[in-house]
Amino acid sequence: MLNIGWLGEGKPFPAGPISSEFRDALRQLCEMPILKHRGFHGCELCGLRSPYVGNGQIRVKDQAGQVFAAPTMVSQYVEIHEYQPSDVLIEAALNSIGTSADGLGKSNA
Ligand SMILES: [Zn+2]
């Protein structure tokens, strides 16, 4: 599993446009995190503090089977701070959405 989308104050990150399809997919994934934490993490970039945004993690899997872990805050990073994740996360999010509750895609069972 690879971690992706963990941004912090003072750390540079790629910014740029993303598709509305990806934005919506990421938002949907972050609304139903696979892991929820006790307490929550505020946004180090703008100071947003919300127990509904920074309180968990998502998992997505690309078509090659690589699983990525990202904080639920990643949706806020994309929408507010124009974070442009790598293409692998975008592909994995689009691949994962709507296939299962955990974002890891359909099982073979
Ligand atoms: Zn922020």
Side-chain angles (χ1 to χ4, degrees):
M1 186 173 349
L2 294 176
N3 290 327
I4 195 166
W6 303 80
L7 306 187
E9 183 180 12
K11 307 286 186 189
F13 59 88
I18 49 97
S19 70
S20 59
E21 183 183 21
F22 171 65
R23 180 199 63 214
D24 293 347
L26 194 59
R27 186 184 298 166
Q28 188 175 332
L29 287 163
C30 290
E31 286 174 352
M32 297 182 61
I34 189 170
L35 273 179
K36 280 196 170 181
H37 301 160
R38 299 178 84 178
F40 60 94
H41 180 78
C43 179
E44 295 181 11
L45 305 177
C46 69
L48 172 73
R49 293 183 57 78
S50 167
Y52 305 108
V53 177
N55 67 337
Q57 297 178 27
I58 63 169
R59 299 286 185 272
V60 292
K61 183 166 69 177
D62 70 12
Q63 294 188 347
Q66 176 64 57
V67 177
F68 299 93
T72 53
M73 189 69 81
V74 73
S75 181
Q76 196 261 157
Y77 294 150
V78 166
E79 294 187 34
I80 305 298
H81 302 291
E82 300 183 333
Y83 169 50
Q84 187 180 52
S86 67
D87 289 344
V88 293
L89 180 65
I90 293 173
E91 180 209 330
L94 293 172
N95 183 54
S96 295
I97 198 69
T99 58
S100 68
D102 64 7
L104 296 178
K106 292 177 180 171
S107 73
N108 293 325

